[in-house]
Amino acid sequence: MRKKRIATASLAGCFGCHMSLLDIDERIIDLMKVAEFDRSPLNDFKKFTRRCDIGLIEGGCCNEDNVHVLREFRKNCDVLVAVGQCAIMGGLPVMRNAIMHSEDPLRECLDEAYKASPKVMNPENQIPNDPALPLLLDKVYTLVDVVKVDYQIPGCPPSGDVLWTALSALIKGEPPELDWALIKYD
Amino acid sequence: MESRKARIVEIEPVTRVEGHGKVTVHLDEHNNVSEARLHIVEFRGFERFIRGRLLWEVPVIVQRLCGICPVSHHIAAAKAMDMIVGVDQLTPTAEKMRRLMHYGQIMQSNVLHFFHLSSPDLLFGFDAAAKKRNIFEVIKQFPDLAKQGVLMRKYGQEVILHTAGKKIHGTGAIPGGINKNLSLKERDALLVDVDLMMSWAQNAVQVAKNYTLDHLPLVEQFANFKSSHMSLVREDGALDLYHGNLRAVDAAGNIIFDQMDYRDFNDYLMEEVRPWSYMKFPFIKSRGNVDGWYRVGPLARMNTVSFIDTPLANQEFEAFRRFGQGKPVSMTLGYHWARMIEVLHCVEKIKELLHDPDLQGTDLRLKGERREEGIAVIEAPRGSLFHHYKVDENDQVTYCNLIVSTTHNNTAMNRAVTDVAKKYLSGQKTITEKMLNHIEVAVRAYDPCLSCATHALGQMPLVVEVLDAEGKIVDRGSQFAEIETPGLT
Ligand code: SF4
């Protein structure tokens, strides 16, 4: 049987879900027997080399690049999985969407971070705006706001054991059914 | 690419780093590199949206900025909140539990960086085929070494599990103390493998040291530049990753400031905003924004501290300093060697703590007289981490400022990227994927945590771009026609 191809991406997430994937520890050796990684920040494939069976996405969308990467994943992966609270519900980054009594939360966040102050030297008083920087979205979006998602694995992050269980099922072509004791929303 | 007009090459995303970054290389009309930049491309806005949250929530929320060293943010926030709840000295059980958690964290993070992310460059060469440059290939070709890396990281994660309750985003530290001690069962579980870890950590130092010595001609000319260095040190000058005062030395090793109370950091440090990165550029005020930049992290710590208070790591520290002939070591790739010395130090500390009965103590938490302001600095895996909060009488945060480790290295990483781009890309007719990987190797050595660095604005995968003289993007690193596409297996 040919090895399953897995692609992973971290969008507006903290990389913790990727770290949790590495918490499968030595089982990574078993994983390599049945699967191989395509596009992923864990290797140097910066784009898809071919169609993948499984796409794992950590994080929601906070800028245009995130949206672009997410659409690429949807296009190139048979099964797309939202991994972790950020991908499913927005997580910590989504806290910028609603700031009490604020009409323009993003603007407030940017001002707080960059405006000139005794601690910040910013002679032109400008917010970073170089064309090299992707445009920020008006608010943070979850994955399902942008594309169809096949499965969601909750947790912040889902533990290495949860990811192992889910991935093992997906590799066999089965839906990742988690025992209730494994489902955590922390 | 014939010489026609200036342009910009882009590497995006930079891979095998934690988080999201991008590099742009600016070429002039003769294909010479005029400048190269590392951009942080995401933005969060943490400092604004944390306002209004309750003080006890902060250590749990803030670590979600970064899943690579969540414990660092967790502990730094808790330490700042200690100050707010009026606790200047924790109970021995609380401080030692936090230290144990912290050493577990630095161990796993440093190991992860060296084995999982950087070792492919060192073992296979900077210009190995792209499809080979990953941990999976290391597992195939160097199974024993890879196994040591995987299991050392696992051990560090288990130390965190038993101190914080969870491997990633735990809850151990709370304002004024901790929420659990270490049970005898947990202690015994950790004791089983501690000696094995010690011998593997010693081996890891040798691997990193031998790499440096065996490749000196390369290492010495690769992003090697003079800079100042800064870290916390203990009152006697020893390495202390959890607590101390700030020391900075210049390129010759002369003291810029020493035993500076970190609560006064705003008098010493300032940050500059530049339009092309969401990450700010900190500098030492007295030296100005042009010359005041410095480095932090393992290399800087080996250059600032006077000694290490654990014997095996101290021997390695002395060898490191002898190599530098008493002066600060300035090679970017020296970070790897320094990082493994710290792993050894952490394992020694973990072993020492596991034998300390204070960890089974039951005095977990203290309370004191409330204050409005809390400032904490710890040495995170990647360098000094600053947390500064103000909290009102309703327990709500009214102000927050974080200077994360990676941010301190912003200027240094940009220097490294420019140096390497000039050396390997200038005047080249064709820019290959392998040449671009050299730039990524330089960035990677700093183990940048682009997730943390994004706290203000966003997060970055590492990307390299090529721009023309007018600043138009000619092509992106991964999309060059000339660049070989990683083959299929
Ligand atoms: S779900 Fe949690 S662990 Fe995963 S990226 Fe989001 S904050 Fe990090």
Side-chain angles (χ1 to χ4, degrees), chain B residues 273-333:
Chain B
V273 175
R274 296 189 196 159
W276 46 269
S277 180
Y278 283 132
M279 187 157 77
K280 287 177 265 194
F281 294 79
F283 59 91
I284 296 170
K285 261 191 196 173
S286 63
R287 308 203 132 201
N289 63 325
V290 177
D291 300 321
W293 62 282
Y294 50 90
R295 285 188 268 191
V296 301
L299 179 76
R301 290 191 281 252
M302 292 305 120
N303 286 330
T304 53
V305 305
S306 316
F307 67 102
I308 297 181
D309 69 342
T310 56
L312 298 175
N314 193 51
Q315 267 175 28
E316 297 300 339
F317 165 77
E318 282 173 358
F320 184 90
R321 291 294 279 256
R322 271 198 303 280
F323 172 83
Q325 297 174 323
K327 297 266 180 286
V329 173
S330 55
M331 314 169 305
T332 286
L333 291 173

Side-chain angles (χ1 to χ4, degrees), chain B residues 146-263:
Chain B
K147 192 176 131 206
Q148 291 181 16
V150 168
L151 293 181
M152 277 200 279
R153 171 168 186 274
K154 179 183 183 182
Y155 187 86
Q157 289 288 81
E158 280 182 347
V159 171
I160 296 171
L161 172 68
H162 293 313
T163 45
K166 237 176 118 194
K167 287 186 173 176
I168 297 169
H169 301 332
T171 59
I174 52 177
I178 41 140
N179 65 11
K180 77 183 281 289
N181 65 7
L182 193 74
S183 72
L184 290 171
K185 201 171 142 212
E186 291 166 323
R187 181 199 67 182
D188 293 344
L190 290 174
L191 275 173
V192 174
D193 282 333
V194 76
D195 289 320
L196 182 62
M197 293 303 137
M198 195 80 80
S199 67
W200 286 353
Q202 285 175 280
N203 185 43
V205 180
Q206 298 319 316
V207 172
K209 175 160 66 177
N210 292 342
Y211 176 82
T212 314
L213 301 179
D214 295 347
H215 295 81
L216 259 195
L218 168 68
V219 175
E220 277 190 320
Q221 57 78 40
F222 190 85
N224 186 356
F225 46 81
K226 294 195 176 339
S227 74
S228 305
H229 301 269
M230 184 183 82
S231 80
L232 288 180
V233 297
R234 208 164 70 180
E235 266 157 27
D236 58 2
L239 175 70
D240 193 330
L241 299 165
Y242 177 76
H243 191 66
N245 296 311
L246 288 165
R247 175 186 285 178
V249 300
D250 66 16
N254 302 315
I255 298 278
I256 301 174
F257 51 72
D258 196 9
Q259 298 300 340
M260 189 259 274
D261 187 335
Y262 61 65
R263 287 171 296 188

